[in-house]
Amino acid sequence: FPPNAYGLYNMVGNVWEWTADEAPLPKDAQMEEKHFYLRGGSFMCHRTYCYRYRCSAKTVASETSGALHYGFRCARSSPSEPRDL
């Protein structure tokens, strides 16, 4: 696949990505656990039932949720000078 407009590859897909952004719950919610946003869509998305397969897609899950299609992306800044790894 070609890169996006920012020159980045593969920024969507495979799993819904956990974020550090806590999702607000309704004031009358009976849940005690925190909920966080997930973004991007997963390999299970299909336009017949999950037509949100894009970077800006968001959903919410509790902090204790686990699923085959939830994950996270590891990233790091590029060093300004080359170094031996």
Side-chain angles (χ1 to χ4, degrees):
F1 295 100
N4 65 17
Y6 299 103
L8 302 172
Y9 293 86
N10 297 322
M11 294 306 294
V12 169
N14 297 329
V15 296
W16 282 97
E17 296 175 19
W18 285 102
T19 70
D21 299 329
E22 191 172 341
L25 295 175
K27 291 183 181 183
D28 62 345
Q30 300 294 318
M31 297 171 260
E32 293 183 15
E33 57 192 12
K34 294 179 181 179
H35 284 66
F36 293 88
Y37 287 108
L38 292 96
R39 69 174 190 91
S42 78
F43 65 91
M44 295 177 69
C45 287
H46 188 273
R47 69 181 183 180
T48 60
Y49 61 89
C50 181
Y51 201 55
R52 298 181 303 163
Y53 191 66
R54 60 188 196 281
C55 287
S56 61
K58 288 185 179 177
T59 192
V60 174
S62 71
E63 63 185 339
T64 58
S65 294
L68 179 64
H69 60 286
Y70 292 172
F72 59 93
R73 182 178 299 274
C74 295
R76 72 176 188 144
S77 297
S78 179
S80 57
E81 296 180 24
R83 63 181 190 183
D84 293 331
L85 296 177

